[in-house]
């Protein structure tokens, strides 16, 4: 009898079998980091619903699969969407694809640049089980440095998952660092072949120095049998800005965790996102905003559109530490239910230890407005188009914060693509 | 052009239209007057296809085709236009985008070429000017933050752009100042012709000073209780509904 090893055991088994062959397997600091992560992951396993942070997202389906490593051949160049920016780093099944990429100065694949990342890789939140899983098994990723004072314009990061005929998992680790006053717009897209079953588990460690601005646009359009569990870990120093916009519009089950720590005075963060969830899909956005310094501002606007039998989750925690006086925090999450079988779970959370703060949050859940729909149709606009217009209008507030034209273009293509393919 | 016969309709089990018979021939403008709650807006919604009404009897045809069997957008494509008593606000939908989408949807349905952004701008500017509106209105979200009068003018702008064959104007005069009333009336009069009919719902004679109706109908309790010439409106204004209908 042949029993398939699944869930956490499959990942741990893979680590035991591969540990010396993984990048840095013989480098003491990397080996130590991986061993500690493996220990942490062994103790925690894949997070279950009994853990509060995972109450609404059940990894049961994922735990039943026995993921193995990707086996991508370098000469199998998939049909990629055309590049938008001058520089693009392409990862196929989690591995850097040099022939498909145009790297900018300051960018390198992690598998090659690993030695230079000591002290930086693994600096943040290693105890999260999904991050530990990544640390244990990462093979590649993007290491990107924008030197102080440099405006690096736009750059693309593209992850492409191929159909391997079996369940594969890849755990890219991306390290992004902006020096003082540097600027970058990162258009970060994940796509996958329709039939491919895979887990994409990227972890981003992002450091934004004084006065620097990183605008990070994530467009998640994984294949319909794909899973994505992503974790963004970002720190922002005085006067710096980290902006994250995440579009969740693909995959079977997706969770995006975004942890941002505002560590210097007058740092700022805008976290916006849209989740477009169709029949059979599950999308989870979980944010954690850590206000650790005075005079910082954070803004979050999340919109979730749900069609068919689908489920959406938004969890947003704002922590205002004692030192974070005059914090200005705002969080809004809104859901639009296009079907009676869709469900949204929203959990905002404020934890405030400073006394002079301005923090607010709100949530709404609603359906399309019949009066609005009729108004459009009475003007001759077909019902489908009318619905699409109202959904787009619903998303406007979250999307209008994205001002970079290339990013806007990428977003609006992804949204109209979703509508044409998925909407009812 | 529009022929309504013994039309009955209810909402949530409550009968509102209790047998309406009314005919508006091509090229004519008819006024409907009647007390609050008598069913005027209900009639306009039923004719334009709003959901939620149950047609329990009778018929409504437009140039011989069964209006009641069509989707709202099909009625619009056939040439029916409703100027809403309470125009709907559409936050996040730009007015220009809305108007162009509507115009092109109608043109597509009629087998005409779509207009591009430039052509649309030219076209809409001319109409806006005629209605003495500010071009700003195009940049704003549909009806959001518009004053009562601005909303009504926006309805008339839509009518002017979409060039319907049958316009149902549901209290388009309410909330308009004296000058705006004249401008809006001029807008309607400009469309008058052998191919254009209108059903003008109003509470006030003053609109009918500017748009002279061919016929005036009195709608009370879900029925047309009296029909006459333009003088009937004057009579109603002087005597009130109870007396005229008696
Ligand atoms: N959803 C509903 N449920 C129950 N009654 C309704 C509903 N909608 C409308 N009505 C009733 O139908 C009747 C007719 O309403 P309608 O809006 O057609 O009147 P109207 O003649 O346009 O009045 P007004 O001059 O005030 O605009 C009113 O008594 C109203 O309360
Ligand atoms: Mg009314």
């Amino acid at each position: 009898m042949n029993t398939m090893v699944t869930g956490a055991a499959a990942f741990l088994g893979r680590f035991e079998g591969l540990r010396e062959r993984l990048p840095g397997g013989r480098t003491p600091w990397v080996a130590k980091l991986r061993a500690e992560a493996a220990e942490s992951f062994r103790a925690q396993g894949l997070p279950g619903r009994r853990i509060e942070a995972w109450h609404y997202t059940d990894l049961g389906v994922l735990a039943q699969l026995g993921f193995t490593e990707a086996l991508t051949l370098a000469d199998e160049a998939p049909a990629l969407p055309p590049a938008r920016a001058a520089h693009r780093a392409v990862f196929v099944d989690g591995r850097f694809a040099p022939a498909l990429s145009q790297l900018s100065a300051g960018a390198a694949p992690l598998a090659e640049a690993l030695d230079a990342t000591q002290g930086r890789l693994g600096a943040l939140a290693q105890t999260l089980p999904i991050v530990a899983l990544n640390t244990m098994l990462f093979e590649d990723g993007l290491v990107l440095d924008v030197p102080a004072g440099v405006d690096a314009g736009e750059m693309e990061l593209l992850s492409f998952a191929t159909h391997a005929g079996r369940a594969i998992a890849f755990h890219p680790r991306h390290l992004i660092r902006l020096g003082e006053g540097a600027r970058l717009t990162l258009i970060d897209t994940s796509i996958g072949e329709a039939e491919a079953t895979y887990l994409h588990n990227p972890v981003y460690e992002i450091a934004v120095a004084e006065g620097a601005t990183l605008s990070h646009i994530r467009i998640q359009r994984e294949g319909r049998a794909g899973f994505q569990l992503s974790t963004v870990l970002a720190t922002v120093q005085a006067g710096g800005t980290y902006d994250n916009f995440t579009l969740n519009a693909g995959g079977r089950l997706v969770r995006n965790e975004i942890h941002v720590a505002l560590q210097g005075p007058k740092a700022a963060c805008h976290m916006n996102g849209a989740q477009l969830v169709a029949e059979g899909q599950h999308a989870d956005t979980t944010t954690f905003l850590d206000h650790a310094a005075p005079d910082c501002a954070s803004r979050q606007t999340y919109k979730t559109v749900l069609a068919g039998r689908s489920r959406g989750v938004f969890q947003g925690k704002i922590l205002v530490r004692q030192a974070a006086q005059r914090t200005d925090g705002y969080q809004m999450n809104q859901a639009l239910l296009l079907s009676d079988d869709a469900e949204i779970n929203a959990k905002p959370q404020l934890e405030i230890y400073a006394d002079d703060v301005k923090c607010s949050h709100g949530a709404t859940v609603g359906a399309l407005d019949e009066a609005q729909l009729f108004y459009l149709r009475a003007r001759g606009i077909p019902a489908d188009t009318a619905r699409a217009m109202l959904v787009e209008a619903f998303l406007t507030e979250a999307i209008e914060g994205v001002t970079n034209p290339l990013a806007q273009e990428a977003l609006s293509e992804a949204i109209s693509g979703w509508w044409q393919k998925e909407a009812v | 052009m529009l022929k309504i016969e013994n039309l009955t309709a209810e909402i949530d089990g409550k009968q509102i239209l209790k047998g309406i018979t009314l005919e508006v021939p091509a090229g004519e403008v008819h006024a409907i007057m009647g007390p609050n709650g008598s069913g005027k807006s209900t009639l306009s919604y039923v004719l334009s296809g709003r959901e939620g009404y149950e047609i329990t009897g009778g018929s409504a045809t437009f140039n011989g085709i069964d209006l009641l069997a069509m989707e709202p957008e099909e009625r619009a494509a056939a040439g029916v236009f409703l100027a809403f008593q309470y125009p709907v606000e559409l936050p996040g939908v730009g007015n220009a985008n809305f108007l162009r989408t509507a115009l092109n949807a109608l043109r597509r349905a009629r087998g005409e070429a779509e207009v591009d952004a430039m052509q649309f701008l030219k076209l809409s500017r001319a109409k806006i000017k005629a209605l003495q509106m500010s071009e700003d209105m195009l940049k704003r979200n549909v009806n959001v933050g518009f004053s009562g009068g601005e909303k009504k003018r926006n309805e008339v702008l839509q009518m002017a752009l979409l060039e319907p064959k049958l316009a149902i104007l549901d209290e388009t005069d309410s909330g308009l100042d004296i000058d705006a009333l004249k401008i809006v009336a001029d807008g309607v009069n400009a469309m008058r012709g052998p191919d254009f009919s209108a059903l003008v719902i109003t509470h006030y004679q003053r609109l009918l000073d500017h748009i002279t109706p061919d016929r005036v109908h009195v709608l009370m309790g879900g029925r047309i209780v009296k029909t006459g010439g333009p003088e009937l409106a004057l009579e109603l204004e002087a005597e009130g509904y109870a007396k005229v209908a008696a």
Side-chain angles (χ1 to χ4, degrees):
Chain A
M1 208 175 91
N2 191 355
T3 11
M4 188 170 68
V5 182
T6 59
F11 292 121
L12 287 161
R14 232 188 105 198
F15 174 63
E16 292 310 331
L18 288 177
R19 58 193 301 171
E20 298 236 320
R21 277 177 289 148
L22 287 166
R26 291 168 199 280
T27 310
W29 72 267
V30 181
K32 182 163 177 279
L33 201 65
R34 290 203 197 262
E36 283 166 5
E39 214 168 292
S40 165
F41 183 69
R42 193 186 306 277
Q44 299 183 76
L46 284 169
R49 293 193 52 210
R50 263 171 294 180
I51 296 171
E52 201 197 337
W54 288 85
H55 183 65
Y56 299 114
T57 293
D58 186 353
L59 296 183
V61 252
L62 188 143
Q64 280 161 27
L65 295 165
F67 291 100
T68 59
E69 66 271 33
L71 249 185
T72 313
L73 301 172
D75 57 355
E76 274 178 31
L80 299 179
R84 293 175 197 279
H87 299 289
R88 177 161 81 164
V90 176
F91 291 81
V92 177
D93 296 339
R95 292 187 183 128
F96 181 64
L100 304 173
S101 303
Q102 292 81 37
L103 288 188
S104 59
L110 178 66
E112 285 168 27
L114 190 56
D115 285 343
T117 65
Q118 185 171 8
R120 184 173 159 202
L121 197 160
L124 304 165
Q126 294 313 304
T127 54
L128 295 168
I130 298 303
V131 175
L133 174 62
N134 175 289
T135 307
M136 183 171 88
L137 287 170
F138 74 82
E139 289 179 60
D140 214 340
L142 175 69
V143 180
L144 177 61
D145 276 290
V146 184
V150 171
D151 183 344
E154 298 107 355
M155 184 177 161
E156 281 184 89
L157 174 58
L158 178 68
S159 165
F160 186 93
T162 61
H163 180 40
R166 63 200 156 77
I168 60 165
F170 46 96
H171 314 263
R173 188 67 160 244
H174 305 298
L175 306 179
I176 299 161
R177 184 162 62 184
L178 270 71
E180 273 180 43
R183 301 182 73 86
L184 173 70
T185 296
L186 182 66
I187 303 172
D188 173 2
T189 307
S190 309
I191 51 179
E193 288 178 342
E195 330 76 59
T197 302
Y198 61 95
L199 166 64
H200 179 199
N201 170 29
V203 170
Y204 300 77
E205 291 186 90
I206 294 172
V208 177
E210 283 83 358
T213 298
L214 173 60
S215 172
H216 187 187
I217 288 95
R218 298 200 64 227
I219 300 176
Q220 181 280 112
R221 298 181 73 191
E222 303 285 11
R224 283 301 294 268
F227 296 84
Q228 185 183 117
L229 303 173
S230 73
T231 312
V232 170
L233 306 166
T235 55
V236 189
Q237 305 310 319
T241 299
Y242 174 67
D243 289 345
N244 179 300
F245 182 95
T246 301
L247 174 74
N248 250 344
R252 177 169 172 192
L253 181 150
V254 171
R255 164 135 157 165
N256 301 126
E257 275 196 39
I258 308 164
H259 300 240
V260 179
L262 300 176
Q263 297 181 331
K266 298 202 165 115
C269 176
H270 304 91
M271 277 199 249
N272 298 320
Q275 308 198 93
L276 310 177
V277 201
E279 175 68 28
Q281 289 181 306
H282 179 108
D284 174 339
T285 293
T286 294
T287 68
F288 177 49
L289 229 154
D290 179 356
H291 277 270
D295 300 301
C296 293
S298 66
R299 292 279 172 280
Q300 300 181 58
T301 303
Y302 284 92
K303 305 261 184 169
T304 303
V305 179
L306 296 124
R309 276 163 302 175
S310 63
R311 190 153 178 194
V313 177
F314 173 80
Q315 306 185 103
K317 180 171 172 178
I318 302 177
L319 167 67
V320 181
R321 296 181 194 263
Q322 205 167 5
Q325 296 298 348
R326 294 169 304 281
T327 284
D328 181 0
Y330 169 83
Q331 179 193 90
M332 173 58 79
N333 83 85
Q334 298 183 304
L336 178 62
L337 303 177
L338 299 180
S339 100
D340 294 337
D341 301 320
E343 189 182 329
I344 177 83
N345 299 110
K347 194 174 83 179
Q349 232 183 316
L350 294 181
E351 203 177 309
I352 300 176
Y353 297 103
D355 40 35
D356 182 11
V357 295
K358 204 171 82 190
C359 258
S360 63
H361 67 88
T364 66
V365 180
L368 279 183
D369 185 309
E370 282 304 321
Q372 294 182 337
L373 204 52
F374 174 63
Y375 191 65
L376 291 167
R377 295 179 70 190
R379 295 297 176 254
I381 299 172
D384 279 357
T385 313
R387 277 191 211 103
M389 284 174 81
L390 294 178
V391 168
E392 201 178 307
F394 170 75
L395 298 176
T396 301
E397 237 181 309
I399 288 171
E400 65 193 1
V402 176
T403 50
N404 180 280
L406 290 184
Q408 280 174 338
E409 195 183 283
L411 267 182
S412 70
E413 274 174 29
I415 291 169
S416 57
W418 179 82
W419 189 263
Q420 278 155 24
K421 231 171 62 195
E422 307 281 4
V424 275
Chain B
M1 180 166 273
L2 175 68
K3 198 168 173 191
I4 307 170
E5 265 177 300
N6 205 22
L7 183 65
T8 56
E10 55 182 53
I11 185 158
D12 296 337
K14 183 179 162 199
Q15 190 167 32
I16 312 285
L17 303 184
K18 299 177 179 163
I20 300 223
T21 299
L22 177 71
E23 193 172 344
V24 186
E28 290 196 5
V29 171
H30 288 202
I32 294 184
M33 303 182 82
N36 295 130
S38 58
K40 303 181 299 296
S41 293
T42 303
L43 176 63
S44 72
Y45 286 143
V46 165
L47 292 176
S48 50
R50 186 169 191 157
E51 278 169 32
Y53 299 93
E54 199 190 337
I55 315 294
T56 48
S59 66
T61 59
F62 181 61
N63 290 332
I65 41 176
D66 180 5
L67 206 52
L68 303 178
M70 297 161 85
E71 297 294 331
E73 55 269 36
E74 294 170 336
R75 301 183 199 201
V80 177
F81 178 91
L82 168 64
F84 285 60
Q85 181 176 1
Y86 304 107
V88 179
E89 297 188 4
L90 303 176
V93 180
N95 209 17
N97 176 37
F98 162 65
L99 293 169
R100 187 155 81 91
T101 306
L103 180 61
N104 280 334
L106 291 183
R107 293 181 69 97
R108 217 173 20 246
R110 293 169 185 164
E112 298 164 17
E114 295 185 22
V115 296
D116 64 25
M118 282 311 291
Q119 292 167 311
F120 172 76
L121 200 64
K122 214 172 136 198
L123 195 65
S124 57
R125 275 194 178 139
K127 306 281 186 190
I128 279 180
K129 205 164 161 220
L131 289 166
Q132 301 187 21
M133 287 169 67
S134 139
E135 267 188 40
D136 248 29
M137 296 291 191
L138 282 180
K139 294 188 200 121
R140 289 167 61 177
N141 285 341
V142 180
N143 294 326
V144 178
F146 285 26
S147 74
E150 286 169 343
K151 284 181 181 169
K152 295 304 176 80
R153 280 201 224 195
N154 202 34
E155 293 293 290
V156 177
L157 171 64
Q158 292 168 45
M159 179 180 73
L161 272 166
L162 302 178
E163 299 182 322
K165 294 197 182 82
L166 171 70
I168 304 163
L169 307 177
D170 191 356
E171 296 197 28
T172 303
D173 53 335
S174 305
L176 289 181
D177 65 46
I178 298 158
D179 294 340
L181 184 74
K182 174 108 180 40
I183 293 160
V184 162
D186 288 347
V188 176
N189 287 331
M191 300 196 62
R192 284 182 94 150
D195 257 351
F196 175 80
S197 310
L199 208 48
V200 180
I201 297 168
T202 181
H203 286 293
Y204 307 107
Q205 158 62 29
R206 47 168 212 175
L207 177 69
L208 305 178
D209 287 340
H210 299 291
I211 307 175
T212 314
D214 296 291
R215 307 292 288 164
V216 176
H217 308 276
V218 181
L219 178 59
M220 281 177 81
R223 287 190 187 88
I224 304 288
V225 296
K226 191 160 187 163
T227 293
E231 70 289 344
L232 180 56
L234 292 165
E235 213 179 303
L236 283 169
E237 187 124 298
E239 316 260 337
Y241 288 112
K243 204 153 173 205
V244 172

